[in-house]
Structure formats: C-alpha cells, structure tokens
Amino acid sequence: MKHANIQKLALAGILTAIAVVGSMFSFPLFGSKCAPIQHMVNILCAVLLGPGYGVGSAFIASLLRNLLGLGTPMAFPGSMVGALLCGLAYWLTRNLPLTLVAEVFGTAVLGGLCAYPISVFLLGNDVAFYAYIVPFLISTAAGSVVSGVLVAALQNTGALTRMQKKLAR
C-alpha cells in the first residue's frame, strides 16, 4: 500500500514538472496565458491518479508557474476546476471522451467564470463576467486533443491498463 502511494506521488511530481516546463510554451490571449500542456497533465492525472492528485498537481503547477513568472493568477481556477471535473468524470465512468469534455467544460466554463473575481478584486481588471471563457476554451481544447490522442494510444497498446494496475497496488 505504501509503495503505491509513493509511486503515485512521484508520478504526480513528474506530471506537475511537465506542466510547469510546458507552460514555457504558452501563448497570450486576452489577458490570460494559454498553456495547453497543463490540460494534458490534468487528463493524465485523472486517468492515472484520480481527482485528488489531479487537483493537487494543478494547484502546485499553478503556484510554481506564478512564482517563476510563467503564469498569471488565472492559472488557479482554470486548471484546478478542470482537473477536478475531469478526474471525477473518469473516476465515476472510466469514459475517456466524457473525461475530455469534462476537462473542457470545467476549465473553460466553470474555471473561466471563477476567474472573474480574481481578475476584478485581486488584479483590479474591469472585465466582463464571461471574459475568460474563450481564452480558457482555446487552451483546454488544444490540451484535451493532445491528451486524448495520447491516452487513446496508451489504451490501444494495453499500456494504460498496466500503468493503472501498477498504481492501484
């Protein structure tokens, strides 16, 4: 039991590092930095580790991105809400397409709406309530497509099942 937890924690750390390094390949869009690699990591965490590790990884990656000057405070609501929703979707259904849709909806719509108070109260920006939905949608859609292809390839080769069994011990 302890060995599996150490493996999960190590994998979460590796995926978090990938999200932070991957944010160097972000692009600015309407006051937000779009980092599609974060959304790929969210889905990999959902499929391999579960919703708790996914939210933890998203929080740590967002914190590190902000501390390193690679992100904005908008990284927190977008990545964490998306990680929670896609983690719960996969945990409850084991359905990859639904997991991808949950990541997109959680990040773009719910995360975009949660970014509004951060933008207004913490950053002093006067933006519309729905201002972050489109930039978050572009970022999460790109990351979800990449991770969907990756996870589907892992499923087709049987590697995904082996990885999940190894982490479940």
Side-chain angles (χ1 to χ4, degrees), residues 24-92:
M24 288 191 277
F25 305 106
S26 65
F27 52 94
L29 187 64
F30 302 121
S32 174
K33 283 189 177 179
C34 297
I37 301 300
Q38 175 65 57
H39 309 292
M40 180 189 78
V41 167
N42 284 353
I43 292 168
L44 290 173
C45 281
V47 169
L48 296 172
L49 301 172
Y53 281 96
V55 172
S57 175
F59 173 77
I60 298 297
S62 297
L63 181 64
L64 290 172
R65 287 171 53 201
N66 276 274
L67 290 173
L68 295 171
L70 299 172
T72 68
M74 302 310 142
F76 289 99
S79 65
M80 291 174 64
V81 174
L84 177 63
L85 239 59
C86 76
L88 289 173
Y90 191 80
W91 182 57
L92 294 171

Side-chain angles (χ1 to χ4, degrees), residues 74 111-121 125-130 132:
M74 302 310 142
L113 294 176
C114 289
Y116 173 77
I118 292 172
S119 181
V120 171
F121 298 117
N125 295 337
D126 186 23
V127 297
F129 182 63
Y130 51 86
Y132 289 100

Side-chain angles (χ1 to χ4, degrees), residues 98-120:
L98 181 63
T99 302
L100 300 175
V101 168
E103 168 65 20
V104 171
F105 179 76
T107 297
V109 178
L110 299 179
L113 294 176
C114 289
Y116 173 77
I118 292 172
S119 181
V120 171

